Amino acid sequence: MDKTITQQLDRNRIEIQYTILSDLVMTKTLIEIVQVLLRYVGDGADFADVIQLDYDMRGVLQGASIVYRIDPKNNSVDEPKMTFSDQLDVERLYSWSVNEPPIYFLETEAERDAEPLLNVFLAEGVSSSLMMPLSKTHGVAHVIVINWHTSHVFVDDIRQLLNRIRQQLDVIYQNQQLLQQAQSTSSQLAEQVHLQRVLNDLSMFASKNSDEKLLLDKSARILLEIMKVDHVGIMLIEDDRKMAYLATELPVQVEREIRIPYDGGVWKKLERGEYQFLNDEQHLE
């Protein structure tokens, strides 16, 4: 091949690589990463899955699930919540945690059969797939799978391009995860500051007001706000510890006095500081 033509092809490849990386750097979510990949290397693809690998606190792989399914035709995103923990070859997948897994180009059923580990990740009716595991510090956390219902050939340029940007893609993905964690931490801190301010206000209110009813009403309003619930009721126990009565509630639902015998297991648990969560199917007699 003429040297000039070769140089031009090399320049074209570099420009394409730069363009893809530029778009990937601008992404803020895993879904956006998939959408960029579909745009550049998913020609004719029918759908893409994002698979999440789940680990326990010790870092041991427990299972996996499809958390997103993207339709490239309209960029719509579904959340199928499909799990397949019972089918995972955990030992072989663990190798993904200690070694950088390759990008898998599966053009034929024969190639799929040669890697039975991957079959669990592939949807039914798929003829060809491109699989890209994404790594965090402890190992693979997500797998992007782009699928074709008909046979698809991955040309050498696409294979080389994806292998060249692989390392940068992991860095972009890890940065996204760190940013999301930072935002979550910031949001939690903001909530804690708000809670502390509300409790300080309640403490100041209690120090200045001796009216028990006012204090209980204020406490109910604060609980309603910070717990984001639909109803709050506060019960007080009578001095002889035989009965408990509803002292206040928000919003008011009962216009009559409510008194309950102070006995039974639930009261003993509350005395010990144990929280009691009752759902719609449980009733306190």
Side-chain angles (χ1 to χ4, degrees):
M1 183 181 295
D2 184 89
K3 184 178 180 179
T4 304
I5 297 176
T6 302
Q7 290 174 341
Q8 182 62 45
L9 289 173
D10 288 340
R11 280 197 297 270
N12 290 343
R13 293 189 184 101
I14 292 172
E15 287 175 3
I16 293 172
Q17 179 178 332
Y18 176 79
T19 301
I20 294 177
L21 286 174
S22 297
D23 285 356
L24 286 170
V25 166
M26 298 301 293
T27 61
K28 296 180 180 178
T29 65
L30 185 53
I31 291 173
E32 290 178 0
I33 286 180
V34 178
Q35 291 170 337
V36 170
L37 292 173
L38 282 169
R39 189 159 66 246
Y40 287 103
V41 301
D43 183 41
D46 291 286
F47 65 96
D49 285 336
V50 176
I51 297 161
Q52 177 175 296
L53 273 62
D54 300 311
Y55 301 83
D56 64 15
M57 297 296 291
R58 298 169 297 166
V60 178
L61 182 66
Q62 298 297 301
S65 56
I66 298 175
V67 289
Y68 302 117
R69 175 162 288 176
I70 298 101
D71 184 343
K73 298 178 182 64
N74 53 21
N75 266 342
S76 63
V77 180
D78 189 22
E79 299 182 15
K81 305 297 183 187
M82 297 168 58
T83 60
F84 28 74
S85 55
D86 295 339
Q87 300 168 283
L88 288 179
D89 186 336
V90 174
E91 283 190 15
R92 296 190 64 198
L93 273 177
Y94 179 71
S95 66
W96 280 7
S97 300
V98 293
N99 302 303
E100 183 176 291
I103 297 174
Y104 294 91
F105 300 92
L106 308 173
E107 295 181 345
T108 65
E109 289 186 12
E111 289 180 343
R112 291 175 57 170
D113 292 341
E115 271 292 353
L117 166 67
L118 308 180
N119 285 336
V120 70
F121 294 124
L122 303 176
E124 294 182 6
V126 170
S127 295
S128 301
S129 295
L130 166 64
M131 294 185 58
M132 298 185 66
L134 298 177
S135 300
K136 290 203 294 188
T137 51
H138 69 274
V140 172
H142 289 93
V143 184
I144 295 173
V145 189
I146 299 176
N147 299 292
W148 288 261
H149 286 144
T150 56
S151 181
H152 182 81
V153 176
F154 301 99
V155 297
D156 288 341
D157 279 354
I158 293 296
R159 292 172 181 259
Q160 293 169 12
L161 172 66
L162 288 174
N163 282 314
R164 283 198 301 268
I165 69 171
R166 169 61 193 278
Q167 190 172 7
Q168 294 98 320
L169 183 58
D170 273 344
V171 172
I172 292 168
Y173 166 71
Q174 290 166 20
N175 287 341
Q176 282 187 3
Q177 301 297 303
L178 290 172
L179 178 61
Q180 290 171 8
Q181 290 173 12
Q183 291 172 337
S184 175
T185 301
S186 176
S187 175
Q188 291 173 3
L189 287 173
E191 288 184 6
Q192 290 173 6
V193 169
H194 174 66
L195 174 60
Q196 190 62 51
R197 185 180 294 116
V198 168
L199 293 177
N200 287 341
D201 289 345
L202 178 60
S203 178
M204 291 291 293
F205 183 84
S207 66
K208 297 177 180 179
N209 291 274
S210 58
D211 189 314
E212 183 181 82
K213 180 67 169 120
L214 284 177
L215 181 58
L216 290 173
D217 289 346
K218 176 81 170 178
S219 299
R221 281 194 295 273
I222 288 175
L223 287 171
L224 202 66
E225 175 189 349
I226 64 177
M227 297 186 69
K228 297 179 174 60
V229 293
D230 298 318
H231 177 267
V232 169
I234 298 178
M235 301 198 73
L236 297 182
I237 303 165
E238 295 180 346
D239 292 339
D240 59 8
R241 305 186 72 78
K242 292 182 179 180
M243 299 291 290
Y245 64 93
L246 182 65
T248 190
E249 65 168 340
L250 282 176
V252 176
Q253 295 183 345
V254 180
E255 298 296 342
R256 59 183 175 81
E257 182 183 34
I258 292 183
R259 295 166 60 84
I260 300 175
Y262 185 70
D263 56 18
V266 67
W267 293 109
K268 300 300 181 186
K269 291 181 179 180
L270 289 171
E271 281 185 345
R272 293 196 298 266
E274 299 178 17
Y275 296 103
Q276 296 297 299
F277 297 95
L278 306 177
N279 61 33
D280 291 339
E281 297 175 355
Q282 295 173 314
H283 301 280
L284 181 63
E285 296 294 338

